[in-house]
Amino acid sequence: MEPNVTKKHPMEEQKPAERVKNFSEVPYGYNMETAIAEAERCLECKKAPCRQGCPVEVDIPAFIGLIKEKKFGEGVFALKDKNNLPAICGRVCPQESQCESFCVRAKKGDSVAIGRLERFLADWELEHGVDVPELPASTGKKVAVVGAGPAGLTCAGDLARMGHDVTIFEAFHMPGGVLVYGIPEFRLPKEVVRKEVDYIQRLGVKLRTNIVIGKTITIDELFTEEGFHAVFIGTGAGLPTFLGIPGENLLGVYSANEFLTRTNLMKAYLFPEYDTPIKVGKNVAVVGAGNVAMDSARTALRLGAENVYIVYRRSDKEMPARLEEIHHAEEEGVQFNLLTNPIKISGDENGWVKGIECVKMRLCEPDESGRCRPEPIEKSNFVFAVDTVVVAVGQTPNPLVPQTTAGLKTGRRGTIEADESGKTSRAGVWAGGDIVTGAATVINAMGAGKVAAKAMDEYLRSLPTT
Amino acid sequence: MYKLVTKRVLSDVSTLFEVEAPLVARKAKPGQFIILRIDEKGERIPLTIADSDPERGTITIIFQEVGLTTKCLAKKEAGEYIADFVGPLGKPMEFPEHPGRIIAVGGGVGIAPIYPKVKGFYKAGMDVFSIIGARTKDFLILEDEMRLVSKELHVCTDDGSYGRHGFVSDLLQNFLADGEPIAEIIAVGPLPMMRAIVNQTRPYGVKTVVSLNPIMVDGTGMCGACRVTVAGKTKFTCVDGPVFDGHQVDFDELVARSRMYQAEEKQALGHCRCGCGGEH
């Protein structure tokens, strides 16, 4: 194949008309020939500007170079030196605003498809058998990681590779956090998550599910009764935000968290083979325009909705979702209603949703902060006839741990205060991911887990040996 | 996996299990609940913690067969295991601030969840006047246990097949009318019963709390399925409750929300994996 210098090699994917009828993954991933051809586009710059865009500091030119040489096993090794969860990152990282945005190729045309190449290598390994690196001798130090999401899994994996004895505590019955309850199967197959979690466990990390830290065991008890030397809190931003408009408790109104948790974690899309049901009508309004909103809209289509409307109060430029997600949603027929603000949900005599009243908005001139505030246009009210509403306007940190841990400083929005290494106000306690930053991305949470692991390792090594 | 240690069939439709869950048993307080899932394909359902034994490391759950999960759970025998069991969740119950009698009213499915609360008051040295009632004798459970922890126990059935012929509200009326000060009334049962009780006590200005059991998924405040309007504000039963001031609860909304999956609940019964065949 002739190397194409200005364009990324396209990745084959399921056709929109077909994929809206199933929950299978949309993009198929590169095959070997395409991966090698795409790798050839990499200039292997000495300075590797792409690396500054990676929150977990993957040596990008190194693994791409090894793809060129068809040394896939060694490529995986280079990749996993920094990233314990590459098959996940290759699928859900916003590469276009991270590594790829720094790529020299991006100055004239497309960047190298770093994310697709990462996925290719990670999938190659999952297919050919995952090797576990040699582990150092045990330090004898015990670390508790609270939450088996991206931050916790990364922190746990890194600490295990440094020789510590790590246990992850997870409230749900299954590890993965947002990777299993939030991100849909068609974007991140749960089998991929299972395999990457399996790798973390093979590094020696223990996993205890069905334990709600703050309820079943407190942070204090992890130190005093369970004998841990340090704790990492990665409990995420699990609390749904509602709009605070009339009618939000009508039947057929879901938080995106509930809608996605039922579908993904509880597999309601396979009801009645699985016991958990979900109700989706013919016409669905999804409020919000972030990745969670796109996931909800595309899920609603797959659950049989005929019309799915995104309702968002700002314009397309402000939509927080990744471009790729918006593009996929558009292709699948999601209808975007921008500069549209919901003000009331109305119901029928049995309490079921029958419509969502909205008002049209206009963006005023940007203020000093540069952001345009949307304002309602008078008498522009209208009603969408819908029977399901999914509210996807953000999540806030889960308060269970802060509420039950004395001396743990929190910020105004319920986040845990931590320094750049993730260190909190409590000795021996680190935190990272959405619980510190508020809702952000999988890779940022992973980056925080990684930084904390480094700092925790130093701390643990400074403790007297027992 | 969590072992079902002992089983007691309390009636044709009610079953008691002691479940091995030492971490939960160590922490459980009256008023809290657990969430369980029978197997990989199962639904997560909340159940009140009826009793806990930290020494033996067990939690007692009591449930009436109302849907697929409870029907399949009732088919299990002591020595078998269930996949998931997590808790204790929700806030523990509070003790009344004012002096006076405590009156506990448990109707049908509400008898099991009211028992740990009465026992909680009893252990704190408080006198509880208890009223339990059910549609018919077969649905009446825990009479002996309730008697042990109550100062007085009054029993009734709707059809007169056992105890006094009548409703729990009839028996409660005697207490409201006799003029003795009441510190708090706690009522647990089907939504129509709880609604009737709070309407009955409202004119007397007696604090009346209810324990709610709406549909839940995670039980940790994540999904909002269990939301309920209390005093005009949306609350999550799993983290803000499950006990609320009954006079402030929007029961119309709760009744509507409890019907959200009625059709699916019926459909699910036809797809059971435990062999119960969804029979009634």
Side-chain angles (χ1 to χ4, degrees):
Chain A
M1 204 181 291
E2 193 65 21
N4 185 330
V5 180
T6 58
K7 287 268 171 226
K8 277 182 189 177
H9 287 78
M11 180 162 55
E12 295 289 318
E13 56 185 34
Q14 278 199 76
K15 299 280 169 279
E18 207 40 55
R19 71 189 190 227
V20 293
K21 297 181 206 146
N22 66 55
F23 274 82
S24 305
E25 192 170 15
V26 170
Y28 294 122
Y30 281 161
N31 59 25
M32 196 187 300
E33 290 71 34
T34 317
I36 294 166
E38 180 64 24
E40 292 292 347
R41 293 185 60 231
C42 177
L43 302 168
E44 292 184 61
C45 315
K46 274 243 163 54
K47 275 182 147 180
C50 49
R51 290 191 68 180
Q52 18 168 323
C54 178
V56 296
E57 305 159 0
V58 167
D59 190 344
I60 295 164
F63 86 74
I64 294 183
L66 289 160
I67 294 178
K68 286 184 201 173
E69 296 173 41
K70 295 192 193 177
K71 293 179 179 166
F72 304 126
E74 285 170 53
V76 169
F77 196 74
L79 178 56
K80 287 177 99 170
D81 183 44
K82 295 288 183 190
N83 186 346
N84 289 322
L85 310 170
I88 293 168
C89 287
R91 289 171 165 84
V92 302
C93 268
Q95 290 98 5
E96 66 281 1
S97 58
Q98 297 187 335
C99 51
E100 292 181 7
S101 72
F102 291 90
C103 178
V104 172
R105 284 269 183 230
K107 287 179 185 160
K108 279 186 185 172
D110 287 353
S111 70
V112 174
I114 300 170
R116 294 173 187 177
L117 291 173
E118 176 182 35
R119 172 179 166 176
F120 165 77
L121 266 191
D123 286 358
W124 181 90
E125 191 199 25
L126 293 184
E127 203 175 305
H128 289 80
V130 179
D131 282 332
V132 176
E134 214 169 299
L135 297 168
S138 168
T139 62
K141 295 292 187 290
K142 284 179 72 183
V143 184
V145 169
V146 184
L153 289 170
T154 303
C155 186
D158 278 16
L159 285 166
R161 289 173 71 169
M162 294 165 181
H164 304 296
D165 178 3
V166 187
T167 305
I168 305 183
F169 294 87
E170 167 57 40
F172 266 129
H173 51 260
M174 185 187 278
V178 72
L179 307 170
V180 292
Y181 76 73
I183 302 177
E185 178 77 16
F186 55 83
R187 211 148 72 73
L188 178 62
K190 301 313 144 206
E191 185 59 12
V192 170
V193 181
R194 192 192 64 74
K195 284 180 173 165
E196 297 221 309
V197 172
D198 181 58
Y199 169 74
I200 300 291
Q201 287 181 272
R202 284 174 59 202
L203 292 172
V205 172
K206 286 164 241 167
L207 176 68
R208 292 173 69 184
T209 53
N210 290 326
I211 293 180
V212 184
I213 297 297
K215 287 283 186 188
T216 320
I217 305 175
T218 62
I219 297 282
D220 291 304
E221 287 164 345
L222 288 175
F223 288 107
T224 57
E225 292 181 25
E226 303 262 343
F228 287 100
H229 298 97
V231 173
F232 175 81
I233 303 169
T235 46
L239 251 58
T241 304
F242 283 94
L243 297 160
I245 61 174
E248 248 177 331
N249 293 346
L250 287 166
L251 284 79
V253 182
Y254 286 98
S255 72
N257 266 4
E258 183 186 356
F259 191 72
L260 294 173
T261 301
R262 281 181 179 274
T263 314
N264 301 325
L265 180 73
M266 305 309 297
K267 301 214 179 301
Y269 66 95
L270 298 173
F271 177 87
E273 187 198 338
Y274 281 71
D275 295 345
T276 305
I278 191 157
K279 273 268 217 263
V280 175
K282 284 190 174 148
N283 302 298
V284 179
V286 176
V287 183
N291 289 327
V292 174
M294 298 308 140
D295 284 345
S296 302
R298 298 173 67 195
T299 296
L301 282 173
R302 284 161 175 76
L303 289 169
E306 288 169 12
N307 291 296
V308 177
Y309 309 103
I310 285 279
V311 176
Y312 179 56
R313 67 194 184 116
R314 297 176 190 267
S315 77
D316 57 349
K317 287 181 207 71
E318 288 84 15
M319 288 201 287
R322 285 181 71 190
L323 280 178
E324 184 185 322
E325 304 309 328
I326 295 168
H327 170 69
H328 275 143
E330 274 174 341
E331 273 188 342
E332 291 172 9
V334 172
Q335 300 163 51
F336 286 74
N337 296 272
L338 309 178
L339 291 167
T340 304
N341 197 29
I343 53 172
K344 186 186 166 191
I345 304 168
S346 50
D348 67 14
E349 64 283 0
N350 294 318
W352 281 94
V353 170
K354 65 173 190 189
I356 182 164
E357 185 177 339
C358 300
V359 59
K360 281 287 187 193
M361 309 290 280
R362 67 173 151 243
L363 287 180
C364 63
E365 292 297 307
D367 58 17
E368 309 87 69
S369 73
R371 239 164 103 89
C372 301
R373 275 198 149 277
E375 55 182 34
I377 299 170
E378 260 181 65
K379 290 182 186 157
S380 65
N381 297 30
F382 67 102
V383 175
F384 278 113
V386 294
D387 32 28
T388 306
V389 174
V390 181
V391 181
V393 293
Q395 295 84 236
T396 56
N398 196 313
L400 276 178
V401 168
Q403 271 171 8
T404 53
T405 312
L408 193 63
K409 270 196 195 155
T410 51
R412 267 195 314 135
R413 291 167 178 231
T415 51
I416 294 176
E417 285 189 1
D419 69 12
E420 62 283 359
S421 78
K423 198 173 180 338
T424 70
S425 55
R426 272 287 297 264
V429 179
W430 275 258
D434 286 2
I435 188 71
V436 170
T437 57
T441 60
V442 167
I443 188 67
N444 282 330
M446 288 177 55
K450 195 163 199 69
V451 170
K454 229 180 259 172
M456 291 171 81
D457 178 56
E458 274 171 37
Y459 170 80
L460 290 163
R461 287 177 196 281
S462 74
L463 295 177
T465 36
T466 40
Chain B
M1 297 292 269
Y2 299 80
K3 190 177 184 181
L4 306 172
V5 186
T6 57
K7 177 182 184 177
R8 244 172 78 198
V9 177
L10 301 181
S11 77
D12 282 356
V13 291
S14 297
T15 307
L16 174 154
F17 277 115
E18 278 183 300
V19 186
E20 195 171 81
L23 290 174
V24 188
R26 213 176 52 164
K27 280 292 172 64
K29 293 207 173 68
Q32 292 187 294
F33 64 94
I34 56 91
I35 281 190
L36 65 78
R37 195 175 68 129
I38 297 180
D39 60 25
E40 281 312 302
K41 294 182 176 178
E43 192 170 13
R44 293 169 66 97
I45 64 154
L47 287 174
T48 300
I49 294 171
D51 215 336
S52 58
D53 186 336
E55 262 101 71
R56 292 175 60 227
T58 57
I59 290 286
T60 304
I61 50 169
I62 297 170
F63 57 92
Q64 209 179 80
E65 292 171 42
V66 291
L68 179 66
T69 304
T70 44
K71 277 182 196 299
C72 291
L73 191 56
K75 283 275 182 285
K76 296 264 177 201
E77 296 300 336
E80 290 188 68
Y81 290 80
I82 55 174
D84 303 295
F85 193 88
V86 59
L89 303 171
K91 289 184 174 164
M93 67 171 200
E94 290 172 359
F95 294 102
E97 296 152 13
H98 306 292
R101 293 174 156 181
I102 296 166
I103 304 189
V105 188
V109 288
I111 304 175
I114 201 130
Y115 167 67
K117 297 173 186 75
V118 175
K119 192 177 169 188
F121 288 127
Y122 171 77
K123 278 182 145 175
M126 301 164 111
D127 289 340
V128 185
F129 297 77
S130 300
I131 300 166
I132 57 171
R135 217 156 61 211
T136 182
K137 184 171 183 286
D138 289 348
F139 289 84
L140 209 58
I141 55 167
L142 300 178
E143 186 185 347
D144 296 342
E145 287 83 352
M146 283 293 287
R147 200 175 298 283
L148 273 175
V149 294
S150 304
K151 174 133 175 119
E152 285 177 17
L153 178 71
H154 302 265
V155 184
C156 63
T157 48
D158 297 1
D159 65 357
S161 55
Y162 190 78
R164 197 172 135 174
H165 188 175
F167 300 113
V168 287
S169 52
D170 303 335
L171 293 171
L172 177 62
Q173 193 56 38
N174 298 338
F175 284 98
L176 290 169
D178 77 0
E180 284 284 327
I182 298 173
E184 182 175 294
I185 295 169
I186 176 158
V188 191
L191 290 172
M193 178 216 119
M194 288 195 279
R195 172 158 54 186
I197 298 287
V198 301
N199 287 338
Q200 182 185 2
T201 65
R202 191 174 276 117
Y204 294 88
V206 180
K207 187 176 180 195
T208 306
V209 299
V210 293
S211 183
L212 305 179
N213 186 27
I215 295 166
M216 289 186 186
V217 183
D218 63 286
T220 61
M222 257 191 60
C223 80
C226 65
R227 57 199 192 275
V228 50
T229 302
V230 182
K233 292 205 175 80
T234 295
K235 298 280 180 190
F236 289 3
T237 305
C238 67
V239 287
D240 300 320
V243 175
F244 292 104
D245 179 348
H247 292 145
Q248 306 288 340
V249 169
D250 182 342
F251 276 98
D252 290 344
E253 182 183 277
L254 264 181
V255 169
R257 289 185 66 80
S258 73
R259 295 187 181 135
M260 175 126 178
Y261 297 102
Q262 230 166 21
E264 286 76 10
E265 283 159 10
K266 275 209 189 90
Q267 191 191 347
L269 287 173
H271 288 80
C272 106
R273 298 178 300 283
C274 75
C276 76
E279 312 137 17
H280 288 268

